[in-house]
Amino acid sequence: MPRITLPDGSTREFDHPVTAHEVAKDIGSGLAKAVIGAKIDGEICDLATTIDRDCKLELITPVDRKTGESSDEALYLIRHSCAHVMAEAIQRVICPRIELVYGPPVENGFYYDMRLPEGVNFSSDDFEQIEAEMEKIIKEDRPFTRFEMPVDEGMKKLRDEGSKYKLDNAERAVEAGSDRLSWYATGEPGKNWEDLCRGPHVPSTGRIGAYKITSLASSYWHGDADSDSLLRVYGTAFADQKQLDRYLEQLAEAKKRDHRVLGKQLRLFHVDETVGQGLILWTPNGAVVRQELQNFISEELRKQGYQQIFTPHIGKLELYKTSGHFPYYQDSQYPPLIHHEHLKMLADDGCSCAQLANSMKEGEVEGYLLKPMNCPHHIKIFDSQPHSYRDLPVRLAEFGTVYRWEQSGEIGGMTRVRGFTQDDAHLFCTEDQLAEELVGCLSLVKIIFKTLGMEDYRVRVGLRDPDSSKYVGDPKNWGKAEQACREAAKGLGVPFSEEAGEAAFYGPKIDFVVKDVVGREWQLGTVQVDYNLPERFDLSYIGPDNQPHRPVMIHRAPFGSMERFIGVLIEHFAGAFPTWLAPEQVRVLPISEKSADYGREVFEMLKAAKVRVTLDDSNERIQAKIREATEWKIPYLLIVGPRDAESRQVSVRARGFMKDLGAIPLDDFVATVREEITTRGAATVIEEHFQAAATA
């Protein structure tokens, strides 16, 4: 009979099977009232789950007693349950004939995909009424009741109900190995609302807490733009109103910082449907930001002994078969390109698309691929000449553009695109050099984050899952690579976690997960250790024993995707870039036509000092000029009038201050703003000249 081990190491033994809730009662009545779910051997479960074996048990309460916050597991249960309540309320308020597809919990909330009947409309104007209906359901405090059926019986039930979406969900569950199908009723099965669902859920609707419907979006069945068009309803839920209010404040702030809105407002990038979804057009302003970041990291790469290279945007299919990227990443790659003559010959022979795909996999048909990764090209550059151990490490760097086929419904702004440029590099070294080279790679990431003020981050060491078949290579080499990543992560001086299953197929990795100013996490920089691709490509160098040896390969990209990084950066700074990154650093504003000549002189002097400066010598009133310049989030405005011209001074207004800070000599401003730019903010005009005025 079960022996149950609790998180504190204590155990409870029972002479009969028990539910997780009964264990909570055995511990104490207060816990039994508070608990909303359980983790049994790491798997989240309902409280009604029967335990009939020895296991580790963790009971889940809405709010952690020590931290005052909800755990991820508690939020998962609350949000999954709230998705069901929202779907029931929508069918009550909008139309009972709405077909439900699926409603999973996701980061920061949940969604439900649904198919609206012809002629039925649903907009954000309906949110208030639906939320009122949700409140009624929650107040009824109906239990979430699980019931199961054998597959044949369950399939008949779904066919009788006529939902092709639920039938598809059930078929997928059976394909994954389920021998029974499960439903959850909010109340009594056969009487109250129910949905095909694996669970788990909180005990009853009354345990859901605070909730909010947040938005609507279009989606497609299976994410396929050629399939059924669906409506996706987003919502969120928390254990209490305080947590929800805090999240909604963050959401409002995030909306103000939305890089898609700011990108258009500040003319940083453009996406054009005639060019293609997920393909970024960098406008002049955005190109400045990107180029400055590239210049910045290039300086650091030169210090560390990297060599710049360039590679083509396509490669032969055979190259990616050798690396393992094809067909491993086939679903996220653009289709291969086939020679015209060969394609015509196959078409004339009646070759089907399926036959063509199989022929390419088997190597019977050759083609080219838009490169999904830069590493095979870099490997071929390393392998283009012989190397001695004295040549190592070899560090090859490229701002290389790669292409991925993302589903239409998953593309968003600059953070999820189909073509992106990586600040990519590959290092080839000896095993003895590996530790030091990893330290150099990680120090580069730390320099970038510190310079950009993005110092709230955590480190994740991605390891292979021993039970997965996706990983290639010798387990001994995996062990060495994983240990090297652990040791390097320890030296960073920040907390890190180890996560099985997060490794690349060829090696473990160290990821930097950055938290932005509104609390969202983004995976940005990455460093990966790879013993496998050198093996697959038969790379070697001549060692001190005059024998060939296999190098170790490091993949690293501190920014990751330039598009994604800059999208995050736009939101992090709310479009107000530090002076060295700002597309426009200074704008000169003559008060009137009398000061136009001096304004032109100030403009030319700043331009000669390589400051990105513009001159507004229009006939607008000065307040109108200031208002317009402020909308562009320019770091410094220089207001010049007749007295400024006489004394060769400029009156300075800095971004974020509602008043002029004062006047300083023109030469002093030019010298100081130039220093602010070249030191990337280590020294600033405000600190040098206006600290007292700025803090007043």
Side-chain angles (χ1 to χ4, degrees), residues 220 222-226 270-282 290 313 331-335 369-373 400-422 561-564:
Y220 300 99
H222 299 324
D224 183 355
D226 295 326
H270 177 60
V271 178
D272 194 297
E273 287 297 320
T274 58
V275 174
Q277 280 191 324
L279 301 173
I280 302 299
L281 300 173
W282 291 89
R290 173 171 165 166
H313 289 236
D331 291 343
S332 59
Q333 293 167 356
Y334 278 83
L369 196 66
L370 280 171
K371 66 175 179 180
M373 300 284 189
T401 302
V402 297
Y403 301 90
R404 310 278 174 81
W405 180 256
E406 299 285 358
Q407 297 289 343
S408 298
E410 295 177 347
I411 293 172
M414 297 178 79
T415 56
R416 197 73 180 264
V417 293
R418 286 177 171 163
F420 56 92
T421 301
Q422 294 176 308
S561 154
M562 297 296 291
E563 284 75 6
R564 180 182 177 87

Side-chain angles (χ1 to χ4, degrees), residues 120 149 161 247 332 440 455 516 543 584 618 637 661 677:
V120 173
M149 292 183 181
E161 291 171 357
Y247 171 73
S332 59
E455 298 188 66
D516 66 16
E584 185 178 349
S618 66
L637 308 181
L661 295 177
I677 293 165

Side-chain angles (χ1 to χ4, degrees), residues 64-81:
D64 186 273
R65 195 173 47 181
K66 294 178 182 177
T67 65
E69 300 291 333
S70 297
S71 67
D72 291 343
E73 293 83 0
L75 291 175
Y76 181 95
L77 287 164
I78 290 168
R79 289 166 178 170
H80 194 184
S81 305

Side-chain angles (χ1 to χ4, degrees), residues 454-474:
M454 304 174 78
E455 298 188 66
D456 187 1
Y457 62 88
R458 62 184 177 87
V459 174
R460 178 177 64 204
V461 178
L463 308 174
R464 64 182 171 139
D465 180 352
D467 297 326
S468 173
S469 61
K470 85 170 188 177
Y471 303 103
V472 298
D474 186 339

